[in-house]
Amino acid sequence: MRFGFVIANACVLAGITWMTAFGPGLRAAEVLPSRGGVGDIPALEARTAHTPSAQNITALAAAYLERDQPGLASAVIQKAPRDARVRPEVSHQEARALLRRGQLREALAVAEKLHTRCALGDADADGAACPAWLAAKTYRQVAFLREALAAGIEDPRHDPVGIEAAYERSAGQVPLVAMR
């Protein structure tokens, strides 16, 4: 019995010695797991500051929205150059940010404008029209926002049950389209 106690103490002391010798060189694990797919925010910010293209602005705004920071997403879009701000992808992110900030009427106005543009197939100065995936997302977004406003919801953060019901009702209004 005494011999087992000595062996156990020796193992504990060996573990402490190993941790003291090799532990400080190991990097500590993150307390909170990083959110996948968000990207490196500082790198996105630097890239957007140096090259404020529609692609960089969209990526940074989406990253802010993923991190539940719609105010920063709106600020990035509002400070963007006009030629980038009018791109369909950026307008879509703007509507998402306004929705997340609780501004349903403003989000609907932006989404309807984008929906009309996508439905007409208007191209911007670069000749870029709405991609098919964006036209479909915009159609769905407009239907959802209309349902939410018809239900009398002004701020989705204060009525999550009503927002979910509006989402379910809007899902029945969007037709399925087969694309090649």
Side-chain angles (χ1 to χ4, degrees):
M1 172 96 162
R2 187 164 175 90
F3 183 70
F5 186 68
V6 171
I7 295 293
N9 280 336
C11 288
V12 169
L13 287 175
I16 291 172
T17 303
W18 183 83
M19 288 173 52
T20 303
F22 299 109
L26 298 176
R27 186 183 144 132
E30 294 181 16
V31 176
L32 297 174
S34 63
R35 295 183 179 185
V38 172
D40 186 22
I41 297 283
L44 285 171
E45 289 172 339
R47 194 171 11 168
T48 303
H50 291 295
T51 311
S53 66
Q55 182 181 7
N56 290 340
I57 292 164
T58 301
L60 183 57
Y64 282 143
L65 288 172
E66 295 269 330
R67 298 241 177 165
D68 200 25
Q69 297 174 322
L72 289 175
S74 290
V76 165
I77 293 167
Q78 289 171 358
K79 299 289 183 195
R82 185 183 178 335
D83 60 329
R85 241 186 1 250
V86 298
R87 296 293 302 253
E89 297 87 356
V90 177
S91 296
H92 176 67
Q93 293 298 330
E94 181 180 13
R96 286 184 61 211
L98 289 168
L99 172 64
R100 298 282 298 277
R101 291 178 68 193
Q103 300 172 342
L104 257 64
R105 293 190 190 285
E106 293 84 356
L108 179 60
V110 171
E112 282 179 334
K113 183 177 176 184
L114 179 59
H115 174 63
T116 302
R117 180 178 170 193
C118 289
L120 294 175
D122 288 348
D124 57 15
D126 296 335
C130 288
W133 66 267
L134 184 59
K137 280 185 104 171
T138 303
Y139 189 87
R140 172 85 181 205
Q141 187 178 39
V142 167
F144 164 66
L145 291 170
R146 285 179 180 161
E147 280 296 323
L149 286 171
I153 299 170
E154 292 294 325
D155 189 349
R157 297 173 294 184
H158 294 107
D159 192 2
V161 175
I163 282 293
E164 188 173 339
Y167 180 80
E168 292 297 325
R169 283 191 308 272
S170 71
Q173 298 176 5
V174 179
L176 295 177
V177 177
M179 295 173 24
R180 296 192 232 197

